[in-house]
Amino acid sequence: MLPFIQALLRAPAEVGAVLPSSRHLAHAMAQVAAASDRGGSLLEIGAGSGALTRALVARFGRERLQVVECSPPLASVLRQRFPQLTVLEQRAEQVLTHAMQCADQMLVVSSLPFKSLPLRQARRVAKAYQDLVMRGGSVVQFSYGRLPPFPLSSGVPLRWQAQCRVWRNLPPATVWQLCRV
């Protein structure tokens, strides 16, 4: 919990939550991700302190999973907790630029706090997620409340589909999947 609090105090917009995600939210995210899995690369973005990482390892194993966390204290915790995983200490948009080469089979499971990220960064990542889905990849993302994680670009044949509501998380969260229409 201490690394989470340190990261929150250092960069609250990047953390975007007052508490780490619950195991209930992590389980729900992993379940939705498994339903849309096509066996390609698996990328967790915004891994935080590792609640979702643990659920993804339990569901998918370690071989395909790469973890992205831009906060140095949280990335360090992830490396200690999951020494067998590749933990990329980079911003999401940097990783996604390289990931587009295998977008058609990629599954992104994201915990990014879009509503608290700087607008420019949120727009870049949102565009990358939309491009990934347009190229055949999948994106699973949660948001607090009932609104989708971010508005979609005008004219793209995509929509957010609410998969489930997780009440046993503070605050309650909705798990979404970005889908082609």
Side-chain angles (χ1 to χ4, degrees), residues 27-38 42 52 56 59-60 64 107-109 138 140 163 175 177:
H27 175 73
M29 294 276 288
Q31 192 169 4
V32 170
S36 62
D37 183 34
R38 286 187 249 142
L42 175 59
L52 178 54
L56 291 173
R59 177 68 67 143
F60 295 96
R64 298 169 36 208
L107 172 57
V108 170
V109 183
S138 297
V140 175
Q163 298 296 316
V175 178
Q177 185 168 10

Side-chain angles (χ1 to χ4, degrees), residues 6-57:
Q6 289 172 330
L8 179 63
L9 293 174
R10 184 176 154 269
E14 289 178 359
V15 175
V18 293
L19 293 171
S21 298
S22 72
R23 64 183 166 90
H24 306 288
L25 177 57
H27 175 73
M29 294 276 288
Q31 192 169 4
V32 170
S36 62
D37 183 34
R38 286 187 249 142
S41 299
L42 175 59
L43 191 61
E44 180 190 6
I45 297 183
S49 57
L52 178 54
T53 308
R54 185 173 294 108
L56 291 173
V57 167

Side-chain angles (χ1 to χ4, degrees), residues 45 92-93 96 100 108 110 112-115 117-134 139 141 148-154 156 158 160 178:
I45 297 183
E93 58 270 33
L96 288 165
M100 286 300 171
V108 170
S110 173
L112 288 181
F114 278 94
K115 292 182 174 44
L117 288 176
L119 186 58
R120 190 173 181 182
Q121 181 185 8
R123 285 182 177 160
R124 284 194 304 259
V125 176
K127 180 171 181 352
Y129 282 2
Q130 291 172 81
D131 290 347
L132 184 109
V133 173
M134 290 300 296
V139 173
Q141 168 78 43
F150 57 82
L152 300 175
S153 300
S154 177
V156 295
L158 300 172
W160 283 110
L178 186 55

